[in-house]
Amino acid sequence: MITRRTVIKGTPISGGIVLGHARVILPGDVEFAEIVVPASRVADEIAALEDAVRLTKDEIRELLHSAGKKIGGPVARIFDAQLLIADDEQFLNQVKMQIRSQRRNAGYVYNALVKDATAPLKSSPDPYMRQMATDIEAVAQRVLSHLSGHDKCDLKFPPNTVLVGKLFTPGDILSYRQRKAVGFLVGEGGANSHMALISRALRLPVVTARDAYFEIANDSLLIVDGTNGEVIVNPTDEDWSEYQKRRKRQGPAAITRIRKLTQIPPLTTDGKEVPVGANLTLRGPADDVLSEQRIPVGLYRTEFLYLANYDFPDEETQYQYYHQIAEKYANSYVIFRVFDLGHDKLVVDSGWPQEDNPALGWRGMRVMLELNQIFKTQVRAILRASTLKNVKILLPMITDVAELEQARKLISQAKFKLRKQGMPFDEDIEIGVMIEVPSAAMTADLLTRKADFISIGTNDLTQYTLAADRTNNRVSSRYSAFHPSVLKLIKMTVDAARKNSKSVTVCGELAGDLFALPLFIGLDLDLLSMNPARIFDICRLVRKVDSSAARHLLGSVLASESQQQVVHKLQSYKNELDKIKAIRKRK
């Protein structure tokens, strides 16, 4: 067991920071001894199984209802799939038949048949099959808990409980949240698992760290940083104080504080507007606050519609979802990015090739242009949701004009068919491109002539410019958006957009970076779109910046020879702002 301060490096699954006490829930397989049942007891065993299944279905329906209210859309339908599993008559008849023929207890037979059914799924290379095994086990654990008389739902947690365990199902996440669990450290579960989708929708921090749950004692103090994928066990007082400050800046309170903002867009000291927007992935608590304040969605990621079921949803499902979002943001606008999928997200039978270097392979818009029927289905759904004229379409990872032209041709075909069918849509809907690779930035003059707007994705642009994988700790020191080459590509892109009278947005992590804000004010961007938790602090800092001084700083920074020089100049500028703030306070 860990007895002293220890930092565990894990994988970030759902962002945010929580501080609390560990509650360790050991691997939840309910084991049943093999018991020979007298013939007179066989009917009782079958009745107990039917009761356990009935109670399980009732629980899943309640979870489905709860998820529908809190999250809605396709993510809630994860529980639809579990309900079908629980109601599988063929499987249940097989269990009953073995109870009768072998005269064994219901728990033992049910558990053995579940293990037989899930074993090949768990070893499959197909992520859809592995997720199905997880869903089957989630249902089975509920049935077995009822059969054993041990119900996890009876667990009560004190405030600020961080749950630690091997794996938590979507149902666990929902039910434990209702009992005030604030975060999770898990041994298994990828960033695209159902557990991850539910956690992000509910804004619950989650970190995955294999086997860490074996080493943490109940009631240990924990800090879970779901944004950076770090967990501190037995933190010092200094750790605790520092992360409390970070949590206030990043946590749910940072979103509710947006309601306190009286000037949106915020104004610089010399009266220059700096429009801000939000990057979103799922419907959730942030929507009400953002729509009340008329803050647009500068980037709405649509991939989770695929990831929720490892399948592309049909047009009607997508339309209903996009339409609800467009209605929620009726007083502003929403930019839907079309499916942006990579090698790590598609299932084997989708035709996805095995690649030596998938980051440089079949991903982004390349996929959508090849799977053009899937692309046209999504475009039709977005177009149908555009009748309020507040929807835009964004194309990811465009590398040259030919890709943009091909995409626009497919969109035109979708529009033509909608017209023939008499289905309304926004004829003037804007089509934008993401600048995420150096080739796009260097040909931005050509792209901005044919695109309606430009969105700069600083995360991938930095990665591809510097040849440094942002998820690889061994080269993390080389990954920095403050490298002069990255900043010059951003400036080149903005200049091209201005030359062709097109709007330009920054929607990568850098958009919410307080350090970078003066540079973006100097660039006079049309929108800074960021994690909603960053909006309050960004708006507050805007009010302290003079736009003419920011333009002067931008010129100086772009003349820098190294990343170190850039950071030094930005730090000096920040120090000057802090001095001005201190002088004003004294007055």
Side-chain angles (χ1 to χ4, degrees):
M1 287 291 177
I2 297 173
T3 57
R4 60 181 64 185
R5 181 188 186 275
T6 302
V7 178
I8 297 172
K9 297 283 188 179
T11 301
I13 297 296
S14 180
I17 293 171
V18 290
L19 303 88
H21 287 82
R23 173 65 179 265
V24 181
I25 297 180
L26 293 175
D29 293 336
V30 179
E31 295 295 340
F32 280 81
E34 183 180 5
I35 301 172
V36 177
V37 177
S40 61
R41 291 280 305 164
V42 167
D44 292 336
E45 289 295 312
I46 291 175
L49 172 66
E50 290 174 341
D51 284 344
V53 170
R54 177 180 54 78
L55 290 169
T56 295
K57 290 193 291 186
D58 288 345
E59 288 174 353
I60 296 173
R61 288 190 189 98
E62 178 58 34
L63 289 169
L64 177 60
H65 177 69
S66 177
K69 289 195 299 184
K70 294 182 173 68
I71 307 166
V75 176
R77 282 197 285 275
I78 289 168
F79 297 107
D80 273 330
Q82 292 193 3
L83 198 57
L84 289 173
I85 292 167
D87 208 22
D88 186 340
E89 286 295 332
Q90 184 176 351
F91 179 77
L92 292 174
N93 287 336
Q94 186 181 359
V95 176
K96 293 173 185 177
M97 183 180 68
Q98 288 205 17
I99 293 172
R100 293 188 186 99
S101 63
Q102 298 179 8
R103 284 174 45 194
R104 295 297 187 270
N105 53 313
Y108 173 78
V109 174
Y110 187 90
N111 201 22
L113 289 178
V114 166
K115 288 183 176 180
D116 288 345
T118 56
L121 299 176
K122 293 167 79 171
S123 61
S124 170
D126 187 334
Y128 175 80
M129 294 294 117
R130 295 197 299 273
Q131 182 61 58
M132 183 180 291
T134 300
D135 286 338
I136 292 171
E137 288 179 333
V139 172
Q141 285 301 308
R142 291 184 178 277
V143 174
L144 293 169
S145 292
H146 289 304
L147 282 170
S148 68
H150 301 296
D151 191 348
K152 287 190 292 185
C153 291
D154 291 335
L155 290 170
K156 304 295 182 184
F157 303 131
N160 299 317
T161 294
V162 178
L163 292 184
V164 179
K166 181 180 180 182
L167 180 68
F168 296 109
T169 69
D172 291 337
I173 299 293
L174 267 173
S175 59
Y176 290 155
R177 176 184 182 267
Q178 289 167 356
R179 289 192 296 283
K180 308 304 181 184
V182 294
F184 297 84
L185 170 61
V186 299
E188 297 178 5
N192 301 315
S193 67
H194 289 172
M195 176 271 295
L197 292 172
I198 292 286
S199 301
R200 288 197 289 270
L202 296 172
R203 301 187 61 80
L204 291 169
V206 180
V207 171
T208 296
R210 187 172 296 278
D211 296 335
Y213 59 93
F214 279 130
E215 303 174 19
I216 295 174
N218 261 324
D219 294 323
S220 298
L221 281 178
L222 289 185
I223 297 174
V224 176
D225 184 343
T227 303
N228 295 315
E230 289 186 352
V231 177
I232 304 178
V233 187
N234 302 318
T236 64
D237 291 343
E238 289 77 12
D239 291 330
W240 199 263
S241 177
E242 171 62 23
Y243 276 88
Q244 279 183 321
K245 293 176 184 175
R246 293 191 192 184
R247 181 180 61 180
K248 288 179 181 177
R249 293 196 296 267
Q250 297 181 18
I255 293 176
T256 58
R257 283 190 300 168
I258 295 173
R259 284 195 172 101
K260 298 179 181 178
L261 295 170
T262 57
Q263 180 68 54
I264 295 178
L267 300 176
T268 61
T269 57
D270 54 338
K272 178 71 178 176
E273 279 192 355
V274 181
V276 295
N279 295 342
L280 298 177
T281 304
L282 294 164
R283 289 164 52 191
D287 290 321
D288 289 337
V289 178
L290 296 171
S291 61
E292 285 171 18
Q293 292 285 50
R294 301 190 176 192
I295 294 173
V297 181
L299 172 65
Y300 208 110
R301 306 176 184 94
T302 61
E303 295 81 59
F304 92 94
L305 287 164
Y306 167 85
L307 298 171
N309 295 299
Y310 284 105
D311 195 11
F312 293 103
D314 60 31
E315 180 183 323
E316 190 61 28
T317 298
Q318 292 189 61
Y319 161 69
Q320 292 293 341
Y321 190 77
Y322 303 144
H323 179 65
Q324 290 170 6
I325 295 166
E327 282 191 322
K328 172 63 75 172
Y329 292 93
N331 291 324
S332 55
Y333 62 87
V334 182
I335 300 176
F336 288 112
R337 184 179 67 188
V338 301
F339 296 131
D340 186 11
L341 295 165
H343 176 272
D344 58 333
K345 295 176 183 175
L346 282 180
V347 296
V348 172
D349 62 5
S350 65
W352 199 268
Q354 291 297 313
E355 300 175 288
D356 292 335
N357 194 342
L360 299 179
W362 203 50
R363 56 169 300 189
M365 204 58 214
R366 296 167 181 174
V367 179
M368 290 295 96
L369 292 177
E370 200 160 328
L371 304 179
N372 55 55
Q373 288 305 316
I374 290 169
F375 176 63
K376 284 198 284 188
T377 296
Q378 183 179 29
V379 167
R380 278 177 57 94
I382 295 174
L383 287 170
R384 288 174 57 196
S386 69
T387 52
L388 294 177
K389 299 184 181 295
N390 68 329
V391 166
K392 304 180 185 183
I393 296 174
L394 183 59
L395 308 175
M397 199 178 168
I398 290 288
T399 59
D400 58 32
V401 171
E403 288 177 342
L404 173 57
E405 290 177 336
Q406 189 179 349
R408 295 203 77 131
K409 182 178 179 181
L410 293 171
I411 294 170
S412 294
Q413 291 171 5
K415 286 182 174 181
F416 178 76
K417 287 191 175 181
L418 287 176
R419 287 189 204 100
K420 282 188 69 175
Q421 294 171 309
M423 302 184 85
F425 63 91
D426 180 7
E427 288 280 2
D428 300 317
I429 191 169
E430 293 186 13
I431 311 299
V433 298
M434 287 198 76
I435 305 296
E436 299 178 275
V437 295
S439 66
M442 296 178 74
T443 56
D445 184 42
L446 299 173
L447 288 168
T448 52
R449 292 179 203 172
K450 296 180 180 291
D452 297 316
F453 67 95
I454 295 294
S455 187
I456 302 173
T458 56
N459 301 347
D460 272 342
L461 183 60
T462 301
Q463 174 174 253
Y464 288 121
T465 301
L466 300 177
D469 183 350
R470 57 195 169 108
T471 65
N472 186 335
N473 289 333
R474 301 189 74 170
V475 295
S476 60
S477 63
R478 297 179 180 274
Y479 175 89
S480 173
F482 294 113
H483 193 283
S485 61
V486 178
L487 297 177
K488 287 177 181 178
L489 288 175
I490 292 172
K491 178 65 162 57
M492 185 184 299
T493 301
V494 174
D495 288 346
R498 293 284 172 256
K499 176 183 174 183
N500 292 296
S501 302
K502 302 296 172 65
S503 65
V504 58
T505 296
V506 169
C507 64
E509 288 298 314
L510 199 63
D513 191 313
L514 296 172
F515 222 44
L517 178 63
L519 300 181
F520 292 139
I521 292 175
L523 283 167
D524 192 22
L525 296 169
D526 295 285
L527 187 71
L528 289 175
S529 190
M530 64 199 73
N531 183 320
R534 305 298 301 148
I535 290 175
F536 181 85
D537 286 339
I538 286 289
C539 288
R540 193 168 58 172
L541 183 58
V542 166
R543 299 198 300 263
K544 302 173 185 176
V545 177
D546 179 89
S547 65
S548 59
R551 286 191 294 274
H552 178 76
L553 173 67
L554 174 67
S556 174
V557 164
L558 289 172
S560 299
E561 297 179 356
S562 67
Q563 174 187 325
Q564 290 74 20
Q565 280 189 16
V566 170
V567 172
H568 175 73
K569 290 173 181 178
L570 292 174
Q571 185 62 59
S572 298
Y573 180 82
K574 181 180 181 298
N575 292 342
E576 288 299 316
L577 284 183
D578 291 341
K579 286 180 185 177
I580 294 170
K581 179 181 176 182
I583 291 170
R584 287 175 178 167
K585 277 188 174 181
R586 285 198 296 270
K587 290 182 177 179

